Amino acid sequence: LKKIRESVEVIKKDAYEYINGSLGLVARKLGKLTKGGIPNHDMAARIVLNDWNSGKIKYFMYLMNFF
């Protein structure tokens, strides 16, 4: 049970880092940076969700080796 919990935590950490990194790339590409050039992840997430809801993002694909 302990090993299962540890592997779930590793997966959660990897998923968080992947999502955070992706939002950072979106923020940089769209110029949504805070003072000091730090990507604004909240603004990038809002833009991605808005684009998804409006149909600008047509589909989503999982990375085969990630999950």
Side-chain angles (χ1 to χ4, degrees), residues 17-51:
E17 289 174 0
Y18 172 75
I19 292 168
N20 216 14
S22 298
L23 288 175
L25 292 174
V26 170
R28 282 191 181 98
K29 180 167 178 122
L30 297 175
K32 303 299 180 189
L33 305 173
T34 60
K35 291 182 180 176
I38 300 169
N40 188 341
H41 293 102
D42 293 334
M43 185 62 71
R46 288 180 187 182
I47 290 170
V48 169
L49 286 174
N50 190 25
D51 288 350

Side-chain angles (χ1 to χ4, degrees), residues 1-65:
L1 187 61
K2 184 178 179 183
K3 288 184 179 184
I4 293 172
R5 285 185 184 162
E6 289 173 355
S7 32
V8 167
E9 290 301 317
V10 168
I11 291 170
K12 283 183 183 179
K13 181 183 175 194
D14 289 344
Y16 175 78
E17 289 174 0
Y18 172 75
I19 292 168
N20 216 14
S22 298
L23 288 175
L25 292 174
V26 170
R28 282 191 181 98
K29 180 167 178 122
L30 297 175
K32 303 299 180 189
L33 305 173
T34 60
K35 291 182 180 176
I38 300 169
N40 188 341
H41 293 102
D42 293 334
M43 185 62 71
R46 288 180 187 182
I47 290 170
V48 169
L49 286 174
N50 190 25
D51 288 350
W52 176 262
N53 288 333
S54 68
K56 289 182 183 177
I57 299 174
K58 301 201 184 303
Y59 62 91
F60 172 77
M61 259 175 44
Y62 284 106
L63 294 176
M64 296 189 104
N65 296 330

